[in-house]
Amino acid sequence: MNPLSEQDHSDTGSLQGNRNWIEQISLHQFRNYASLSLSLSGAPVVLAGANGAGKTNLLEAVSLLSPGKGLRRAVTSDLGSFQGDGDWAVSALVHGTMGEARIGTGVSGATGTDSPRRKFRIDGETVASSTDFGRSLQILWLTPQMDGLFMGSASDRRRFLDRLMLVFNPQTRKQWTLFERAMRQRNKLLEMQDLRDPLFDGLEMQMAEHGVTIAAGRLEAIERLRGVIRKTACPSSPFPFATLSLDGRLEKALELDAAVDVEDDYRAILRENRGLDRAAKRTMEGPHRTDLLVGHGPKEMPARLCSTGEQKALLTGLILAHARLVHDKADGFAPLLLLDEIAAHFDEMRRHALYEEILKLNCQAWMTGTDKHVFDYFGERAQIFCVDGAEIVA
């Protein structure tokens, strides 16, 4: 049975405390899983097994139950089993601030389609996009691919920043979609000869409106995160606190002027820069150019200058701070955490400190690792599964 077609959910179990958690998840022809049905409690989840067994694929499936493209940002056509016909589905019975819901996503009728479209359902009803999933489930994640965040490109840090915003306000994705659509149309106009085309004015007005809204949302999210960090910062913590700031024209302007004035100024900049942008073949100013600057708080130094181990600990501390912020904002409902290969590069002291933070948050954290014994600290406080060839056993 294709789990995407399921419309009813069972009335099993209680909310088990204030947390976002998954009670049951089903996969159909997803990555290396032909089919899977897994029932869970609200406790942390450990997936142990060899590399290539399917641990991260299962985490990716869970991540697709949140707004966006999931933790790998994979194209839809790559998510189906290579042995299948292109159709795939992920469905789950979830609990969150809105109560119990059955949410699902997937592709049907993909045969012969180069770019199949994902479908999204909540309690059997089709919804417009994954943005609507944000009402039912709050998910954060940390993957090995994010380890180079502080050394990587500004676009990676913007993606991290905007993922942070998405958890607070799923509609942020819509603002980005509208901004990028207007920017693409403006970039096409730049290829034309007449820079006085009145179409520029309308597109630049849209870019200013949505761009300033995005920048304002970033400022609010960063300030809230700073507040949580200030309350919990401890110089001796194994996960050092971070300092955060935004390096972007609109964000800096909003710290000094009213949003309406910043919109007017940005619109004027876009008008004046048409010639420069044509030469560059892209729009040079806007929220798509902002960078997130992160520092190691106790050492008072940029994160990019820290050692690899320090950067990993700093990033983990930042994710934990983000989780606390979501917890506080959602009236005590802890987010669901996806932590891929989280224990691989931590010593025992840091591993145990992380596990204590997870238990303190009262969250259903999904953790993967090749050695299940590094999770022995949890004892019976976690659900431990072995993954072998896309098969899962307790």
Side-chain angles (χ1 to χ4, degrees), residues 33 106 109 133 213 236 279 285 334 339 389 392:
Y33 289 90
F133 288 165
T213 300
S236 61
E285 293 286 355
L339 305 173
I392 296 182

Side-chain angles (χ1 to χ4, degrees), residues 82-383:
F82 70 90
Q83 294 179 327
D85 57 5
D87 289 2
W88 60 269
V90 176
S91 175
L93 176 62
V94 306
H95 301 269
T97 57
M98 302 297 290
E100 182 181 287
R102 167 72 67 176
I103 62 179
T105 185
V107 166
S108 60
T111 304
T113 303
D114 292 332
S115 302
R117 294 186 58 129
R118 272 177 69 190
K119 298 177 182 178
F120 312 93
R121 291 179 183 166
I122 299 177
D123 288 329
E125 299 293 328
T126 298
V127 294
S129 73
S130 62
T131 298
D132 294 290
F133 288 165
R135 300 198 308 265
S136 299
L137 200 61
Q138 302 286 314
I139 304 178
L140 308 179
W141 57 73
L142 179 58
T143 69
Q145 290 71 33
M146 294 167 64
D147 287 352
L149 183 72
F150 306 130
M151 299 292 291
S153 67
S155 62
D156 291 335
R157 289 184 290 278
R158 278 195 299 275
R159 191 174 297 122
F160 177 84
L161 171 62
D162 293 329
R163 180 73 204 170
L164 185 158
M165 291 174 56
L166 205 57
V167 172
F168 290 107
N169 180 11
Q171 294 304 316
T172 297
R173 194 159 177 257
K174 180 178 180 180
Q175 293 292 334
W176 260 117
T177 299
L178 294 171
F179 175 84
E180 290 179 334
R181 181 186 301 163
M183 183 169 64
R184 284 195 302 269
Q185 292 174 342
R186 179 179 181 270
N187 288 345
K188 288 182 180 179
L189 274 183
L190 290 171
E191 299 173 5
M192 302 169 63
Q193 294 300 314
D194 190 359
L195 295 178
R196 297 169 298 175
D197 191 318
L199 289 175
F200 274 110
D201 294 333
L203 293 172
E204 289 165 357
M205 183 178 295
Q206 293 176 46
M207 289 175 64
E209 177 185 349
H210 301 306
V212 170
T213 300
I214 292 166
R218 284 172 171 168
L219 284 172
E220 180 183 5
I222 286 295
E223 185 52 41
R224 289 190 178 194
L225 191 53
R226 284 193 195 119
V228 169
I229 291 172
R230 282 193 295 268
K231 285 194 299 183
T232 58
C234 175
S236 61
S237 170
F239 303 109
F241 67 90
T243 59
L244 305 170
S245 62
L246 295 174
D247 183 13
R249 186 163 192 158
L250 296 184
E251 289 83 2
K252 289 178 179 178
L254 284 168
E255 291 178 337
L256 301 173
D257 299 316
V260 63
D261 295 327
V262 177
E263 278 189 36
D264 291 342
D265 291 343
Y266 182 38
R267 195 161 59 245
I269 289 168
L270 289 171
R271 186 184 309 114
E272 293 167 4
N273 283 5
R274 289 173 189 173
L276 293 173
D277 290 348
R278 170 185 281 178
K281 297 184 178 180
R282 64 184 186 277
T283 301
M284 298 296 291
E285 293 286 355
H288 60 296
R289 305 283 290 178
T290 298
D291 196 0
L292 171 64
L293 305 181
V294 182
H296 188 296
K299 286 195 170 184
E300 298 183 352
M301 64 186 294
R304 60 185 173 80
L305 300 180
C306 295
S307 70
T308 301
E310 287 174 329
Q311 289 181 359
K312 179 75 172 183
L314 186 62
L315 181 57
T316 302
L318 195 51
I319 293 294
L320 290 172
H322 187 185
R324 293 186 201 102
L325 181 55
V326 174
H327 171 277
D328 294 347
K329 182 179 182 295
D331 296 324
F333 274 78
L336 190 151
L337 293 180
L338 305 179
L339 305 173
D340 194 19
E341 296 293 343
I342 189 61
H345 303 294
F346 286 152
D347 58 22
E348 185 177 75
M349 183 271 291
R350 276 205 169 100
R351 287 201 302 269
H352 291 178
L354 172 63
Y355 302 159
E356 275 299 320
E357 287 293 335
I358 288 169
L359 294 170
K360 201 181 303 181
L361 273 168
N362 189 34
C363 68
Q364 190 189 57
W366 292 54
M367 296 161 283
T368 68
T370 55
D371 181 3
K372 71 175 183 179
H373 294 297
V374 301
F375 300 100
D376 285 347
Y377 184 85
F378 282 108
E380 295 182 355
R381 296 175 294 180
Q383 307 160 90

